[in-house]
Short mmCIF file of all heavy atoms in Angstrom, two decimals:
data_model
loop_
_atom_site.label_atom_id
_atom_site.label_comp_id
_atom_site.label_asym_id
_atom_site.label_seq_id
_atom_site.Cartn_x
_atom_site.Cartn_y
_atom_site.Cartn_z
N LEU F 1 6.27 14.33 -17.56
CA LEU F 1 4.86 14.66 -17.74
C LEU F 1 4.32 15.40 -16.51
O LEU F 1 3.64 16.42 -16.64
CB LEU F 1 4.05 13.39 -17.99
CG LEU F 1 2.56 13.56 -18.20
CD1 LEU F 1 2.29 14.39 -19.46
CD2 LEU F 1 1.89 12.20 -18.30
N ILE F 2 4.63 14.89 -15.33
CA ILE F 2 4.19 15.54 -14.09
C ILE F 2 4.77 16.95 -14.00
O ILE F 2 4.07 17.90 -13.65
CB ILE F 2 4.57 14.69 -12.86
CG1 ILE F 2 3.74 13.40 -12.82
CG2 ILE F 2 4.38 15.49 -11.56
CD1 ILE F 2 4.23 12.38 -11.80
N SER F 3 6.05 17.07 -14.33
CA SER F 3 6.69 18.39 -14.28
C SER F 3 6.03 19.36 -15.25
O SER F 3 5.74 20.51 -14.90
CB SER F 3 8.18 18.29 -14.63
OG SER F 3 8.87 17.67 -13.60
N ARG F 4 5.79 18.90 -16.46
CA ARG F 4 5.21 19.76 -17.49
C ARG F 4 3.76 20.14 -17.13
O ARG F 4 3.37 21.30 -17.24
CB ARG F 4 5.26 19.07 -18.85
CG ARG F 4 4.86 19.98 -19.99
CD ARG F 4 5.12 19.35 -21.36
NE ARG F 4 4.33 18.15 -21.57
CZ ARG F 4 4.84 16.93 -21.80
NH1 ARG F 4 6.15 16.76 -21.86
NH2 ARG F 4 4.07 15.89 -21.98
N LYS F 5 2.98 19.18 -16.71
CA LYS F 5 1.56 19.44 -16.45
C LYS F 5 1.30 20.09 -15.10
O LYS F 5 0.35 20.86 -14.96
CB LYS F 5 0.75 18.13 -16.54
CG LYS F 5 0.77 17.49 -17.90
CD LYS F 5 -0.01 18.32 -18.89
CE LYS F 5 -0.06 17.62 -20.24
NZ LYS F 5 -0.77 18.43 -21.22
N MET F 6 2.12 19.74 -14.11
CA MET F 6 1.85 20.22 -12.75
C MET F 6 2.88 21.23 -12.25
O MET F 6 2.72 21.78 -11.17
CB MET F 6 1.82 19.03 -11.78
CG MET F 6 0.83 17.94 -12.18
SD MET F 6 -0.88 18.50 -12.24
CE MET F 6 -1.21 18.76 -10.53
N GLY F 7 3.97 21.42 -13.02
CA GLY F 7 4.99 22.37 -12.61
C GLY F 7 5.81 21.91 -11.42
O GLY F 7 6.34 22.72 -10.67
N LYS F 8 5.93 20.60 -11.25
CA LYS F 8 6.68 20.06 -10.11
C LYS F 8 8.14 19.86 -10.47
O LYS F 8 8.50 19.62 -11.61
CB LYS F 8 6.06 18.75 -9.65
CG LYS F 8 4.67 18.94 -9.08
CD LYS F 8 4.17 17.72 -8.40
CE LYS F 8 2.82 18.03 -7.75
NZ LYS F 8 2.39 16.97 -6.88
N SER F 9 8.97 19.93 -9.44
CA SER F 9 10.41 19.74 -9.62
C SER F 9 10.74 18.24 -9.68
O SER F 9 9.88 17.39 -9.43
CB SER F 9 11.17 20.38 -8.46
OG SER F 9 10.86 19.69 -7.27
N VAL F 10 12.01 17.94 -9.97
CA VAL F 10 12.45 16.55 -10.08
C VAL F 10 12.21 15.80 -8.78
O VAL F 10 11.67 14.69 -8.79
CB VAL F 10 13.94 16.49 -10.48
CG1 VAL F 10 14.47 15.07 -10.40
CG2 VAL F 10 14.14 17.05 -11.88
N TRP F 11 12.59 16.37 -7.66
CA TRP F 11 12.41 15.63 -6.39
C TRP F 11 10.94 15.41 -6.10
O TRP F 11 10.56 14.39 -5.55
CB TRP F 11 13.13 16.32 -5.24
CG TRP F 11 12.48 17.59 -4.76
CD1 TRP F 11 12.77 18.86 -5.16
CD2 TRP F 11 11.43 17.70 -3.79
NE1 TRP F 11 11.96 19.77 -4.51
CE2 TRP F 11 11.13 19.09 -3.65
CE3 TRP F 11 10.72 16.79 -3.02
CZ2 TRP F 11 10.15 19.55 -2.79
CZ3 TRP F 11 9.75 17.27 -2.15
CH2 TRP F 11 9.48 18.64 -2.05
N GLU F 12 10.09 16.36 -6.51
CA GLU F 12 8.65 16.19 -6.28
C GLU F 12 8.07 15.06 -7.13
O GLU F 12 7.30 14.25 -6.64
CB GLU F 12 7.90 17.48 -6.58
CG GLU F 12 8.08 18.55 -5.53
CD GLU F 12 7.39 19.85 -5.90
OE1 GLU F 12 7.64 20.37 -7.01
OE2 GLU F 12 6.58 20.32 -5.08
N PHE F 13 8.48 14.99 -8.41
CA PHE F 13 7.91 13.93 -9.23
C PHE F 13 8.46 12.57 -8.82
O PHE F 13 7.76 11.56 -8.89
CB PHE F 13 8.03 14.20 -10.73
CG PHE F 13 9.34 13.89 -11.39
CD1 PHE F 13 9.80 12.58 -11.54
CD2 PHE F 13 10.11 14.91 -11.94
CE1 PHE F 13 10.99 12.30 -12.20
CE2 PHE F 13 11.29 14.63 -12.60
CZ PHE F 13 11.74 13.32 -12.73
N ARG F 14 9.69 12.51 -8.37
CA ARG F 14 10.21 11.23 -7.87
C ARG F 14 9.43 10.77 -6.63
O ARG F 14 9.17 9.60 -6.45
CB ARG F 14 11.70 11.34 -7.58
CG ARG F 14 12.54 11.48 -8.84
CD ARG F 14 14.00 11.19 -8.60
NE ARG F 14 14.82 11.57 -9.72
CZ ARG F 14 14.92 10.88 -10.86
NH1 ARG F 14 14.23 9.79 -11.02
NH2 ARG F 14 15.70 11.31 -11.83
N THR F 15 9.06 11.72 -5.80
CA THR F 15 8.24 11.42 -4.63
C THR F 15 6.87 10.91 -5.06
O THR F 15 6.33 9.96 -4.47
CB THR F 15 8.10 12.67 -3.73
OG1 THR F 15 9.41 13.09 -3.34
CG2 THR F 15 7.26 12.39 -2.51
N GLU F 16 6.30 11.53 -6.10
CA GLU F 16 4.99 11.09 -6.61
C GLU F 16 5.07 9.64 -7.11
O GLU F 16 4.20 8.82 -6.81
CB GLU F 16 4.55 11.99 -7.77
CG GLU F 16 4.27 13.41 -7.39
CD GLU F 16 2.87 13.63 -6.87
OE1 GLU F 16 2.01 12.76 -7.08
OE2 GLU F 16 2.65 14.68 -6.25
N VAL F 17 6.10 9.33 -7.89
CA VAL F 17 6.27 7.98 -8.43
C VAL F 17 6.47 6.99 -7.29
O VAL F 17 5.84 5.92 -7.26
CB VAL F 17 7.43 7.93 -9.44
CG1 VAL F 17 7.76 6.51 -9.83
CG2 VAL F 17 7.09 8.76 -10.68
N ALA F 18 7.32 7.32 -6.34
CA ALA F 18 7.55 6.43 -5.19
C ALA F 18 6.25 6.23 -4.40
O ALA F 18 5.99 5.13 -3.90
CB ALA F 18 8.64 7.00 -4.29
N GLY F 19 5.44 7.26 -4.33
CA GLY F 19 4.16 7.15 -3.64
C GLY F 19 3.22 6.17 -4.31
O GLY F 19 2.54 5.39 -3.63
N VAL F 20 3.18 6.19 -5.63
CA VAL F 20 2.33 5.24 -6.36
C VAL F 20 2.79 3.81 -6.10
O VAL F 20 1.99 2.93 -5.80
CB VAL F 20 2.32 5.55 -7.88
CG1 VAL F 20 1.65 4.43 -8.66
CG2 VAL F 20 1.63 6.88 -8.14
N VAL F 21 4.10 3.59 -6.21
CA VAL F 21 4.64 2.25 -5.97
C VAL F 21 4.36 1.82 -4.52
O VAL F 21 3.96 0.68 -4.27
CB VAL F 21 6.15 2.20 -6.29
CG1 VAL F 21 6.76 0.88 -5.86
CG2 VAL F 21 6.37 2.45 -7.78
N GLY F 22 4.52 2.73 -3.59
CA GLY F 22 4.23 2.42 -2.19
C GLY F 22 2.77 2.07 -1.97
O GLY F 22 2.44 1.16 -1.20
N LYS F 23 1.87 2.77 -2.66
CA LYS F 23 0.44 2.48 -2.52
C LYS F 23 0.10 1.10 -3.09
O LYS F 23 -0.77 0.42 -2.55
CB LYS F 23 -0.38 3.57 -3.21
CG LYS F 23 -0.38 4.86 -2.43
CD LYS F 23 -1.11 5.96 -3.15
CE LYS F 23 -0.94 7.27 -2.39
NZ LYS F 23 -1.53 8.40 -3.07
N VAL F 24 0.80 0.71 -4.14
CA VAL F 24 0.59 -0.64 -4.68
C VAL F 24 0.97 -1.67 -3.61
O VAL F 24 0.23 -2.63 -3.36
CB VAL F 24 1.40 -0.87 -5.98
CG1 VAL F 24 1.40 -2.34 -6.37
CG2 VAL F 24 0.84 -0.01 -7.11
N ASN F 25 2.10 -1.46 -2.97
CA ASN F 25 2.54 -2.40 -1.93
C ASN F 25 1.55 -2.44 -0.77
O ASN F 25 1.24 -3.52 -0.24
CB ASN F 25 3.94 -2.04 -1.43
CG ASN F 25 4.99 -2.24 -2.50
OD1 ASN F 25 4.85 -3.10 -3.36
ND2 ASN F 25 6.04 -1.46 -2.46
N LEU F 26 1.03 -1.29 -0.37
CA LEU F 26 0.03 -1.25 0.70
C LEU F 26 -1.26 -1.96 0.28
O LEU F 26 -1.90 -2.64 1.09
CB LEU F 26 -0.29 0.19 1.09
CG LEU F 26 0.79 0.93 1.87
CD1 LEU F 26 0.40 2.39 2.06
CD2 LEU F 26 1.01 0.27 3.22
N THR F 27 -1.63 -1.81 -0.97
CA THR F 27 -2.82 -2.47 -1.48
C THR F 27 -2.66 -3.99 -1.43
O THR F 27 -3.59 -4.71 -1.03
CB THR F 27 -3.11 -2.02 -2.92
OG1 THR F 27 -3.35 -0.60 -2.91
CG2 THR F 27 -4.31 -2.73 -3.52
N ILE F 28 -1.48 -4.47 -1.81
CA ILE F 28 -1.23 -5.91 -1.77
C ILE F 28 -1.29 -6.40 -0.32
O ILE F 28 -1.92 -7.44 -0.04
CB ILE F 28 0.13 -6.25 -2.42
CG1 ILE F 28 0.05 -6.02 -3.92
CG2 ILE F 28 0.54 -7.69 -2.10
CD1 ILE F 28 1.39 -6.09 -4.64
N GLU F 29 -0.67 -5.67 0.60
CA GLU F 29 -0.72 -6.06 2.01
C GLU F 29 -2.16 -6.11 2.52
O GLU F 29 -2.55 -7.05 3.21
CB GLU F 29 0.10 -5.08 2.85
CG GLU F 29 1.59 -5.20 2.66
CD GLU F 29 2.35 -4.11 3.41
OE1 GLU F 29 1.79 -3.51 4.36
OE2 GLU F 29 3.51 -3.86 3.04
N GLY F 30 -2.95 -5.11 2.16
CA GLY F 30 -4.34 -5.08 2.58
C GLY F 30 -5.14 -6.23 2.00
O GLY F 30 -5.98 -6.83 2.67
N LEU F 31 -4.86 -6.53 0.75
CA LEU F 31 -5.54 -7.65 0.09
C LEU F 31 -5.25 -8.95 0.82
O LEU F 31 -6.16 -9.75 1.08
CB LEU F 31 -5.10 -7.74 -1.37
CG LEU F 31 -5.64 -8.91 -2.19
CD1 LEU F 31 -7.16 -8.81 -2.32
CD2 LEU F 31 -4.98 -8.94 -3.55
N LEU F 32 -4.00 -9.16 1.17
CA LEU F 32 -3.62 -10.38 1.88
C LEU F 32 -4.25 -10.44 3.27
O LEU F 32 -4.70 -11.50 3.70
CB LEU F 32 -2.10 -10.51 1.96
CG LEU F 32 -1.40 -10.74 0.61
CD1 LEU F 32 0.11 -10.68 0.78
CD2 LEU F 32 -1.83 -12.07 0.00
N GLU F 33 -4.30 -9.31 3.95
CA GLU F 33 -4.94 -9.27 5.27
C GLU F 33 -6.43 -9.60 5.16
O GLU F 33 -6.96 -10.36 5.97
CB GLU F 33 -4.75 -7.90 5.92
CG GLU F 33 -3.34 -7.66 6.40
CD GLU F 33 -3.14 -6.24 6.91
OE1 GLU F 33 -4.13 -5.49 7.06
OE2 GLU F 33 -1.98 -5.88 7.16
#
């Protein structure tokens, strides 16, 4: 979907997905703090 809508390559969309997961982890850490 990201590739089709945004014209991003495979490595770029994998980076986007990893970024979302990473932000979730940061959010949990912040919540606990």
